Amino acid sequence: MLFFSYFKDLVGQEVTVELKNDLAIRGTLHSVDQYLNIKLENTRVVDQDKYPHMLSVRNCFIRGSVVRYVQLPPDGVDVDLLHDAARREARGG
Amino acid sequence: MSGEEDATVREPLDLIRLSLDERIYVKLRSDRELRGKLHAFDQHLNMILGDVEEVITTVEIDDETYEEIVRTTKRNIQYLFVRGDGVILVSPPLRTQT
Amino acid sequence: MSWAGPEDIYLSTSLASYLDRKLLVLLRDGRKLMGTLRSFDQFANAVLEGACERVIVGEQYCDIPLGLYVIRGENVVLIGELDTEREELPPHMIRVSETEIKRAQKVEREASELRGTMRKRMEFLDFD
């Protein structure tokens, strides 16, 4: 639940989602669910020339299982809060 | 439980809990390695790392000689969420000097 | 399982806001399907009506009609809404026939297979 809650708080911020097939998409985080499926708005593909079929896609749903990384905005990371949450999660709380 | 850290190690993930706020090494699928400060993790080994250096190792085949050319690409990312299903291993910092 | 009520479908991660829209579905094997979303579930299984596969090889492309498709969610990478106000493809791309695109696809595949077999042959030589 830690990361589900974390991403919910991040809604509205700009992120870059990198997929396991190397496609990287930047956009505004619109929503997230318990599987960490992600919806992005105002998207643009980082390497657009390599993915011409993505040209007219402006918002999308990404299946959580295909995500490799999410690059997070620096002001969207509260380090102390995360440490506490991770310890609580480890305790099974 | 009081506010102080429980230093006992009973299961593998306890070692990762003790690495919070420390720099760790993470080996991932598809020949990727990360070094960064561990800020959060869960039981799937999803993680948030800070001040990350990613190293990607690629093997290319030369068109003419068909020789293998090994290349490493590095990049730095300030904060990164890593999905746990790509993680092969996590190495906590060495504590020999403490 | 929690289901979003009709009033918050636009705030949820469900595919409900994409119903009856023209979509691009990227699959794990790299294929690109297009069509209108008629149904979905919590696994991202999806029903596409009027589906076609968009095959792109270099600057050439072709849309091969497929009909009604039920896609298994596990194979879905991404579902994107196609903005009808925008060009779907860059202007320099050329539409070709199904026969031509399949020929181009075959050439591309054979080239990459050749690289693969040459590499294997070289690895074999290394053991001599």
Side-chain angles (χ1 to χ4, degrees):
Chain A
M1 289 306 270
L2 195 175
F3 291 102
F4 175 38
S5 309
Y6 171 76
F7 279 115
K8 272 199 288 189
D9 286 344
L10 212 64
V11 163
Q13 301 218 47
E14 281 263 305
V15 293
T16 303
V17 181
E18 259 187 74
L19 310 185
K20 287 175 184 147
N21 64 6
D22 294 336
L23 175 65
I25 306 166
R26 189 156 179 77
T28 310
L29 186 64
H30 166 278
S31 57
V32 64
D33 67 14
Q34 52 177 334
Y35 307 109
L36 305 185
N37 294 326
I38 286 173
K39 257 178 158 177
L40 292 181
E41 283 187 328
N42 300 314
T43 54
R44 56 199 174 282
V45 168
V46 174
D47 191 358
Q48 178 61 67
D49 294 344
K50 214 177 141 194
Y51 305 97
H53 52 281
M54 294 292 291
L55 192 64
S56 75
V57 173
R58 277 297 158 274
N59 50 78
C60 66
F61 165 95
I62 298 165
R63 204 167 190 273
S65 61
V66 304
V67 172
R68 178 186 291 133
Y69 303 139
V70 181
Q71 296 180 31
L72 307 166
D75 55 358
V77 181
D78 183 329
V79 168
D80 295 327
L81 213 71
L82 280 174
H83 292 171
D84 290 346
R87 288 201 181 91
R88 237 178 294 126
E89 185 95 355
R91 244 178 268 147
Chain B
M1 180 178 295
S2 67
E4 66 192 76
E5 182 109 45
D6 181 0
T8 52
V9 177
R10 294 189 188 84
E11 50 174 343
L13 261 57
D14 287 339
L15 270 172
I16 296 180
R17 177 171 48 83
L18 293 173
S19 309
L20 273 170
D21 211 19
E22 309 247 22
R23 286 191 79 77
I24 58 167
Y25 165 80
V26 184
K27 189 171 164 60
L28 296 169
R29 291 189 187 180
S30 61
D31 299 306
R32 284 159 199 262
E33 298 162 283
L34 302 173
R35 283 177 184 83
K37 206 174 192 186
L38 180 67
H39 291 310
F41 72 96
D42 66 9
Q43 70 274 28
H44 307 291
L45 288 187
N46 293 322
M47 288 180 264
I48 289 179
L49 300 179
D51 290 318
V52 190
E53 185 192 63
E54 185 202 42
V55 179
I56 310 172
T57 309
T58 50
V59 181
E60 281 173 40
I61 309 296
D62 189 289
D63 275 334
E64 307 280 305
T65 64
Y66 295 105
E67 271 180 304
E68 285 191 6
I69 309 160
V70 180
R71 281 209 180 82
T72 57
T73 321
K74 285 187 189 184
R75 76 181 159 147
N76 292 283
I77 304 137
Q78 201 170 2
Y79 286 109
L80 191 66
F81 165 80
V82 182
R83 194 168 160 102
D85 58 2
V87 173
I88 293 173
L89 67 87
V90 177
S91 174
L94 290 173
R95 284 172 209 272
T96 43
Q97 61 271 53
T98 52
Chain C
M1 179 66 49
S2 68
W3 283 94
E7 66 280 358
D8 31 57
I9 59 165
Y10 292 100
L11 295 172
S12 83
T13 313
S14 96
L15 292 165
S17 67
Y18 292 172
L19 276 172
D20 302 325
R21 305 281 179 94
K22 199 182 176 199
L23 304 176
L24 170 76
V25 181
L26 298 189
L27 301 181
R28 279 201 306 185
D29 65 358
R31 279 193 288 176
K32 305 164 258 298
L33 304 184
M34 287 159 57
T36 310
L37 184 71
R38 294 303 188 198
S39 180
F40 67 90
D41 63 17
Q42 70 270 37
F43 307 110
N45 291 324
V47 175
L48 277 193
E49 192 183 55
C52 63
E53 181 183 350
R54 174 157 286 179
V55 185
I56 299 177
V57 182
E59 312 247 294
Q60 301 183 328
Y61 76 98
C62 179
D63 294 337
I64 301 168
L66 303 168
L68 184 68
Y69 258 41
V70 182
I71 301 161
R72 187 171 154 87
E74 205 186 330
N75 295 304
V76 171
V77 168
L78 171 150
I79 299 182
E81 209 179 330
L82 293 170
D83 186 343
T84 47
E85 306 283 293
R86 288 171 172 270
E87 292 299 321
E88 269 180 20
L89 289 168
H92 61 82
M93 294 200 60
I94 307 147
R95 180 182 210 124
V96 298
S97 72
E98 194 175 326
T99 331
E100 272 179 87
I101 205 77
K102 291 215 157 138
R103 192 186 303 136
Q105 231 178 349
K106 193 165 171 249
V107 169
E108 196 182 48
R109 196 168 43 234
E110 281 169 355
S112 76
E113 272 168 14
L114 177 67
R115 288 168 74 92
T117 56
M118 284 311 285
R119 186 181 167 186
K120 280 208 186 74
R121 223 173 281 174
M122 291 298 146
E123 276 167 8
F124 170 73
L125 287 175
D126 281 347
F127 288 106
D128 275 353

